[in-house]
Amino acid sequence: FGVVRGWRTSSDELTSSLADVHRSARERDVSGAEQLSGWLPVSISPVSGAARVPSVERGPGVRHFVTEIYALRDTVADLRIGVSGPAVVSLDSAWLGEVPAVAFPAPDQLHVPLQLSAGTHHLMVSVETEPGVPCTLFARLVDSAGRRALCGRI
């Protein structure tokens, strides 16, 4: 319930810190909706709700995921994610924080509170990747109490 859909993806090499690579990609590629057209669409598993992207075989990298969320009114939501490596999350130009690596990706491992104003927002998650290991992102939106699933339009 509440699985975030509409993800698009791109990748970078991990040339500095994960936070720096995320910030650079956000400023370069996600400052406007028209720029998202250059990102590749991601399939969401109908069974698990996961976005899974094969890893490249070269050195450590970063997989960026971005989607648009539309809020009908000002609201507070909870982004629940599971990731296959350390990750950084931002909403529009606001830095939401860095999340640690977990043993394995699964739904609802980490919670990120979102304060949404009415209108369209760009949610971006950057995940550090390892060669030969698929990059996985589970993401869903629920109300601030964690009881009601929300979709891309809230």
Side-chain angles (χ1 to χ4, degrees), residues 64-89:
H64 306 289
F65 295 91
V66 67
T67 192
E68 288 184 345
I69 297 172
Y70 183 78
L72 296 173
R73 62 188 181 291
D74 292 357
T75 190
V76 176
D78 191 32
L79 173 65
R80 305 238 172 138
I81 62 174
V83 289
S84 56
V88 173
V89 182

PDB file of all heavy atoms in Angstrom, residues 64-89:
ATOM      1  N   HIS A  64      20.824   7.127  -8.682  1.00  0.00           N
ATOM      2  CA  HIS A  64      19.874   8.161  -8.287  1.00  0.00           C
ATOM      3  C   HIS A  64      18.478   7.743  -8.719  1.00  0.00           C
ATOM      4  O   HIS A  64      18.294   7.253  -9.834  1.00  0.00           O
ATOM      5  CB  HIS A  64      20.198   9.499  -8.959  1.00  0.00           C
ATOM      6  CG  HIS A  64      21.599   9.967  -8.752  1.00  0.00           C
ATOM      7  ND1 HIS A  64      22.057  10.430  -7.532  1.00  0.00           N
ATOM      8  CD2 HIS A  64      22.645  10.048  -9.611  1.00  0.00           C
ATOM      9  CE1 HIS A  64      23.318  10.789  -7.661  1.00  0.00           C
ATOM     10  NE2 HIS A  64      23.701  10.551  -8.904  1.00  0.00           N
ATOM     11  N   PHE A  65      17.508   7.951  -7.849  1.00  0.00           N
ATOM     12  CA  PHE A  65      16.102   7.732  -8.159  1.00  0.00           C
ATOM     13  C   PHE A  65      15.382   9.049  -7.910  1.00  0.00           C
ATOM     14  O   PHE A  65      15.608   9.696  -6.884  1.00  0.00           O
ATOM     15  CB  PHE A  65      15.484   6.672  -7.241  1.00  0.00           C
ATOM     16  CG  PHE A  65      16.054   5.299  -7.404  1.00  0.00           C
ATOM     17  CD1 PHE A  65      17.126   4.889  -6.630  1.00  0.00           C
ATOM     18  CD2 PHE A  65      15.502   4.404  -8.321  1.00  0.00           C
ATOM     19  CE1 PHE A  65      17.648   3.606  -6.768  1.00  0.00           C
ATOM     20  CE2 PHE A  65      16.027   3.125  -8.457  1.00  0.00           C
ATOM     21  CZ  PHE A  65      17.092   2.733  -7.687  1.00  0.00           C
ATOM     22  N   VAL A  66      14.508   9.452  -8.818  1.00  0.00           N
ATOM     23  CA  VAL A  66      13.743  10.688  -8.625  1.00  0.00           C
ATOM     24  C   VAL A  66      12.307  10.456  -9.093  1.00  0.00           C
ATOM     25  O   VAL A  66      12.061   9.697 -10.034  1.00  0.00           O
ATOM     26  CB  VAL A  66      14.393  11.883  -9.358  1.00  0.00           C
ATOM     27  CG1 VAL A  66      14.333  11.721 -10.859  1.00  0.00           C
ATOM     28  CG2 VAL A  66      13.773  13.194  -8.926  1.00  0.00           C
ATOM     29  N   THR A  67      11.373  11.062  -8.392  1.00  0.00           N
ATOM     30  CA  THR A  67       9.968  11.004  -8.788  1.00  0.00           C
ATOM     31  C   THR A  67       9.283  12.294  -8.385  1.00  0.00           C
ATOM     32  O   THR A  67       9.800  13.058  -7.566  1.00  0.00           O
ATOM     33  CB  THR A  67       9.251   9.785  -8.158  1.00  0.00           C
ATOM     34  OG1 THR A  67       7.984   9.603  -8.790  1.00  0.00           O
ATOM     35  CG2 THR A  67       9.071   9.947  -6.665  1.00  0.00           C
ATOM     36  N   GLU A  68       8.132  12.529  -8.981  1.00  0.00           N
ATOM     37  CA  GLU A  68       7.322  13.686  -8.617  1.00  0.00           C
ATOM     38  C   GLU A  68       6.212  13.251  -7.686  1.00  0.00           C
ATOM     39  O   GLU A  68       5.589  12.207  -7.887  1.00  0.00           O
ATOM     40  CB  GLU A  68       6.715  14.338  -9.861  1.00  0.00           C
ATOM     41  CG  GLU A  68       7.723  15.064 -10.710  1.00  0.00           C
ATOM     42  CD  GLU A  68       7.089  15.787 -11.885  1.00  0.00           C
ATOM     43  OE1 GLU A  68       5.912  15.503 -12.220  1.00  0.00           O
ATOM     44  OE2 GLU A  68       7.778  16.629 -12.465  1.00  0.00           O
ATOM     45  N   ILE A  69       5.977  14.043  -6.667  1.00  0.00           N
ATOM     46  CA  ILE A  69       4.869  13.828  -5.739  1.00  0.00           C
ATOM     47  C   ILE A  69       4.007  15.077  -5.800  1.00  0.00           C
ATOM     48  O   ILE A  69       4.534  16.193  -5.728  1.00  0.00           O
ATOM     49  CB  ILE A  69       5.385  13.623  -4.298  1.00  0.00           C
ATOM     50  CG1 ILE A  69       6.248  12.377  -4.213  1.00  0.00           C
ATOM     51  CG2 ILE A  69       4.214  13.542  -3.324  1.00  0.00           C
ATOM     52  CD1 ILE A  69       6.928  12.226  -2.867  1.00  0.00           C
ATOM     53  N   TYR A  70       2.708  14.888  -5.936  1.00  0.00           N
ATOM     54  CA  TYR A  70       1.805  16.027  -5.983  1.00  0.00           C
ATOM     55  C   TYR A  70       0.925  16.020  -4.741  1.00  0.00           C
ATOM     56  O   TYR A  70       0.229  15.042  -4.463  1.00  0.00           O
ATOM     57  CB  TYR A  70       0.933  15.981  -7.247  1.00  0.00           C
ATOM     58  CG  TYR A  70       0.035  17.180  -7.361  1.00  0.00           C
ATOM     59  CD1 TYR A  70       0.538  18.396  -7.801  1.00  0.00           C
ATOM     60  CD2 TYR A  70      -1.298  17.101  -6.992  1.00  0.00           C
ATOM     61  CE1 TYR A  70      -0.279  19.514  -7.891  1.00  0.00           C
ATOM     62  CE2 TYR A  70      -2.121  18.214  -7.074  1.00  0.00           C
ATOM     63  CZ  TYR A  70      -1.606  19.412  -7.523  1.00  0.00           C
ATOM     64  OH  TYR A  70      -2.399  20.519  -7.598  1.00  0.00           O
ATOM     65  N   ALA A  71       0.969  17.090  -3.966  1.00  0.00           N
ATOM     66  CA  ALA A  71       0.133  17.227  -2.775  1.00  0.00           C
ATOM     67  C   ALA A  71      -1.029  18.167  -3.093  1.00  0.00           C
ATOM     68  O   ALA A  71      -0.816  19.273  -3.585  1.00  0.00           O
ATOM     69  CB  ALA A  71       0.945  17.776  -1.614  1.00  0.00           C
ATOM     70  N   LEU A  72      -2.248  17.717  -2.822  1.00  0.00           N
ATOM     71  CA  LEU A  72      -3.429  18.541  -3.068  1.00  0.00           C
ATOM     72  C   LEU A  72      -3.514  19.702  -2.080  1.00  0.00           C
ATOM     73  O   LEU A  72      -4.083  20.743  -2.385  1.00  0.00           O
ATOM     74  CB  LEU A  72      -4.697  17.690  -2.959  1.00  0.00           C
ATOM     75  CG  LEU A  72      -4.826  16.585  -4.005  1.00  0.00           C
ATOM     76  CD1 LEU A  72      -6.019  15.693  -3.698  1.00  0.00           C
ATOM     77  CD2 LEU A  72      -4.962  17.193  -5.391  1.00  0.00           C
ATOM     78  N   ARG A  73      -2.949  19.497  -0.889  1.00  0.00           N
ATOM     79  CA  ARG A  73      -2.961  20.522   0.151  1.00  0.00           C
ATOM     80  C   ARG A  73      -1.714  20.348   1.010  1.00  0.00           C
ATOM     81  O   ARG A  73      -1.026  19.348   0.913  1.00  0.00           O
ATOM     82  CB  ARG A  73      -4.215  20.410   1.002  1.00  0.00           C
ATOM     83  CG  ARG A  73      -4.310  19.089   1.744  1.00  0.00           C
ATOM     84  CD  ARG A  73      -5.663  18.913   2.424  1.00  0.00           C
ATOM     85  NE  ARG A  73      -5.774  17.684   3.146  1.00  0.00           N
ATOM     86  CZ  ARG A  73      -5.839  16.461   2.626  1.00  0.00           C
ATOM     87  NH1 ARG A  73      -5.778  16.302   1.326  1.00  0.00           N
ATOM     88  NH2 ARG A  73      -5.959  15.399   3.377  1.00  0.00           N
ATOM     89  N   ASP A  74      -1.452  21.283   1.877  1.00  0.00           N
ATOM     90  CA  ASP A  74      -0.338  21.148   2.815  1.00  0.00           C
ATOM     91  C   ASP A  74      -0.582  19.907   3.671  1.00  0.00           C
ATOM     92  O   ASP A  74      -1.696  19.710   4.174  1.00  0.00           O
ATOM     93  CB  ASP A  74      -0.238  22.375   3.720  1.00  0.00           C
ATOM     94  CG  ASP A  74       0.178  23.629   2.966  1.00  0.00           C
ATOM     95  OD1 ASP A  74       0.450  23.534   1.753  1.00  0.00           O
ATOM     96  OD2 ASP A  74       0.218  24.694   3.595  1.00  0.00           O
ATOM     97  N   THR A  75       0.439  19.078   3.809  1.00  0.00           N
ATOM     98  CA  THR A  75       0.268  17.841   4.564  1.00  0.00           C
ATOM     99  C   THR A  75       1.601  17.345   5.092  1.00  0.00           C
ATOM    100  O   THR A  75       2.658  17.732   4.606  1.00  0.00           O
ATOM    101  CB  THR A  75      -0.404  16.749   3.697  1.00  0.00           C
ATOM    102  OG1 THR A  75      -0.766  15.648   4.509  1.00  0.00           O
ATOM    103  CG2 THR A  75       0.516  16.271   2.594  1.00  0.00           C
ATOM    104  N   VAL A  76       1.529  16.486   6.086  1.00  0.00           N
ATOM    105  CA  VAL A  76       2.704  15.807   6.616  1.00  0.00           C
ATOM    106  C   VAL A  76       2.579  14.348   6.233  1.00  0.00           C
ATOM    107  O   VAL A  76       1.516  13.739   6.414  1.00  0.00           O
ATOM    108  CB  VAL A  76       2.799  15.959   8.153  1.00  0.00           C
ATOM    109  CG1 VAL A  76       3.975  15.155   8.686  1.00  0.00           C
ATOM    110  CG2 VAL A  76       2.923  17.419   8.531  1.00  0.00           C
ATOM    111  N   ALA A  77       3.629  13.779   5.680  1.00  0.00           N
ATOM    112  CA  ALA A  77       3.634  12.374   5.277  1.00  0.00           C
ATOM    113  C   ALA A  77       4.907  11.720   5.806  1.00  0.00           C
ATOM    114  O   ALA A  77       5.843  12.402   6.231  1.00  0.00           O
ATOM    115  CB  ALA A  77       3.571  12.258   3.758  1.00  0.00           C
ATOM    116  N   ASP A  78       4.914  10.412   5.779  1.00  0.00           N
ATOM    117  CA  ASP A  78       6.074   9.647   6.224  1.00  0.00           C
ATOM    118  C   ASP A  78       6.538   8.798   5.046  1.00  0.00           C
ATOM    119  O   ASP A  78       5.769   7.982   4.536  1.00  0.00           O
ATOM    120  CB  ASP A  78       5.691   8.761   7.409  1.00  0.00           C
ATOM    121  CG  ASP A  78       6.892   8.142   8.100  1.00  0.00           C
ATOM    122  OD1 ASP A  78       7.959   8.783   8.126  1.00  0.00           O
ATOM    123  OD2 ASP A  78       6.767   7.027   8.604  1.00  0.00           O
ATOM    124  N   LEU A  79       7.762   9.030   4.586  1.00  0.00           N
ATOM    125  CA  LEU A  79       8.361   8.216   3.533  1.00  0.00           C
ATOM    126  C   LEU A  79       9.009   7.020   4.214  1.00  0.00           C
ATOM    127  O   LEU A  79       9.868   7.185   5.081  1.00  0.00           O
ATOM    128  CB  LEU A  79       9.409   9.015   2.756  1.00  0.00           C
ATOM    129  CG  LEU A  79      10.235   8.249   1.730  1.00  0.00           C
ATOM    130  CD1 LEU A  79       9.353   7.741   0.599  1.00  0.00           C
ATOM    131  CD2 LEU A  79      11.356   9.132   1.203  1.00  0.00           C
ATOM    132  N   ARG A  80       8.597   5.834   3.846  1.00  0.00           N
ATOM    133  CA  ARG A  80       9.173   4.615   4.410  1.00  0.00           C
ATOM    134  C   ARG A  80       9.987   3.963   3.308  1.00  0.00           C
ATOM    135  O   ARG A  80       9.466   3.663   2.233  1.00  0.00           O
ATOM    136  CB  ARG A  80       8.062   3.688   4.881  1.00  0.00           C
ATOM    137  CG  ARG A  80       7.119   4.386   5.854  1.00  0.00           C
ATOM    138  CD  ARG A  80       7.051   3.690   7.141  1.00  0.00           C
ATOM    139  NE  ARG A  80       6.303   4.459   8.122  1.00  0.00           N
ATOM    140  CZ  ARG A  80       5.438   3.919   8.946  1.00  0.00           C
ATOM    141  NH1 ARG A  80       5.194   2.625   8.894  1.00  0.00           N
ATOM    142  NH2 ARG A  80       4.836   4.662   9.840  1.00  0.00           N
ATOM    143  N   ILE A  81      11.283   3.768   3.581  1.00  0.00           N
ATOM    144  CA  ILE A  81      12.148   3.221   2.538  1.00  0.00           C
ATOM    145  C   ILE A  81      12.976   2.046   3.059  1.00  0.00           C
ATOM    146  O   ILE A  81      13.184   1.886   4.257  1.00  0.00           O
ATOM    147  CB  ILE A  81      13.095   4.293   1.944  1.00  0.00           C
ATOM    148  CG1 ILE A  81      14.044   4.862   3.001  1.00  0.00           C
ATOM    149  CG2 ILE A  81      12.312   5.386   1.262  1.00  0.00           C
ATOM    150  CD1 ILE A  81      15.088   5.809   2.429  1.00  0.00           C
ATOM    151  N   GLY A  82      13.427   1.259   2.123  1.00  0.00           N
ATOM    152  CA  GLY A  82      14.429   0.226   2.338  1.00  0.00           C
ATOM    153  C   GLY A  82      15.385   0.330   1.167  1.00  0.00           C
ATOM    154  O   GLY A  82      14.954   0.524   0.027  1.00  0.00           O
ATOM    155  N   VAL A  83      16.674   0.277   1.419  1.00  0.00           N
ATOM    156  CA  VAL A  83      17.664   0.478   0.364  1.00  0.00           C
ATOM    157  C   VAL A  83      18.775  -0.558   0.466  1.00  0.00           C
ATOM    158  O   VAL A  83      19.011  -1.126   1.531  1.00  0.00           O
ATOM    159  CB  VAL A  83      18.275   1.904   0.421  1.00  0.00           C
ATOM    160  CG1 VAL A  83      17.267   2.950  -0.008  1.00  0.00           C
ATOM    161  CG2 VAL A  83      18.783   2.230   1.814  1.00  0.00           C
ATOM    162  N   SER A  84      19.457  -0.779  -0.639  1.00  0.00           N
ATOM    163  CA  SER A  84      20.511  -1.793  -0.692  1.00  0.00           C
ATOM    164  C   SER A  84      21.881  -1.254  -0.301  1.00  0.00           C
ATOM    165  O   SER A  84      22.865  -1.988  -0.366  1.00  0.00           O
ATOM    166  CB  SER A  84      20.570  -2.399  -2.099  1.00  0.00           C
ATOM    167  OG  SER A  84      20.747  -1.392  -3.066  1.00  0.00           O
ATOM    168  N   GLY A  85      21.968  -0.013   0.110  1.00  0.00           N
ATOM    169  CA  GLY A  85      23.241   0.578   0.524  1.00  0.00           C
ATOM    170  C   GLY A  85      22.991   1.898   1.215  1.00  0.00           C
ATOM    171  O   GLY A  85      21.846   2.321   1.354  1.00  0.00           O
ATOM    172  N   PRO A  86      24.043   2.575   1.634  1.00  0.00           N
ATOM    173  CA  PRO A  86      23.860   3.902   2.222  1.00  0.00           C
ATOM    174  C   PRO A  86      23.118   4.798   1.232  1.00  0.00           C
ATOM    175  O   PRO A  86      23.288   4.664   0.017  1.00  0.00           O
ATOM    176  CB  PRO A  86      25.283   4.405   2.439  1.00  0.00           C
ATOM    177  CG  PRO A  86      26.146   3.193   2.413  1.00  0.00           C
ATOM    178  CD  PRO A  86      25.461   2.199   1.536  1.00  0.00           C
ATOM    179  N   ALA A  87      22.280   5.699   1.743  1.00  0.00           N
ATOM    180  CA  ALA A  87      21.466   6.534   0.854  1.00  0.00           C
ATOM    181  C   ALA A  87      21.353   7.945   1.393  1.00  0.00           C
ATOM    182  O   ALA A  87      21.532   8.198   2.581  1.00  0.00           O
ATOM    183  CB  ALA A  87      20.081   5.923   0.689  1.00  0.00           C
ATOM    184  N   VAL A  88      21.042   8.860   0.479  1.00  0.00           N
ATOM    185  CA  VAL A  88      20.801  10.261   0.794  1.00  0.00           C
ATOM    186  C   VAL A  88      19.439  10.619   0.201  1.00  0.00           C
ATOM    187  O   VAL A  88      19.111  10.185  -0.902  1.00  0.00           O
ATOM    188  CB  VAL A  88      21.906  11.156   0.187  1.00  0.00           C
ATOM    189  CG1 VAL A  88      21.586  12.616   0.370  1.00  0.00           C
ATOM    190  CG2 VAL A  88      23.248  10.825   0.810  1.00  0.00           C
ATOM    191  N   VAL A  89      18.646  11.402   0.949  1.00  0.00           N
ATOM    192  CA  VAL A  89      17.292  11.748   0.516  1.00  0.00           C
ATOM    193  C   VAL A  89      17.124  13.264   0.516  1.00  0.00           C
ATOM    194  O   VAL A  89      17.549  13.943   1.445  1.00  0.00           O
ATOM    195  CB  VAL A  89      16.245  11.120   1.462  1.00  0.00           C
ATOM    196  CG1 VAL A  89      14.831  11.430   0.991  1.00  0.00           C
ATOM    197  CG2 VAL A  89      16.455   9.611   1.587  1.00  0.00           C
TER     198      VAL A  89
END
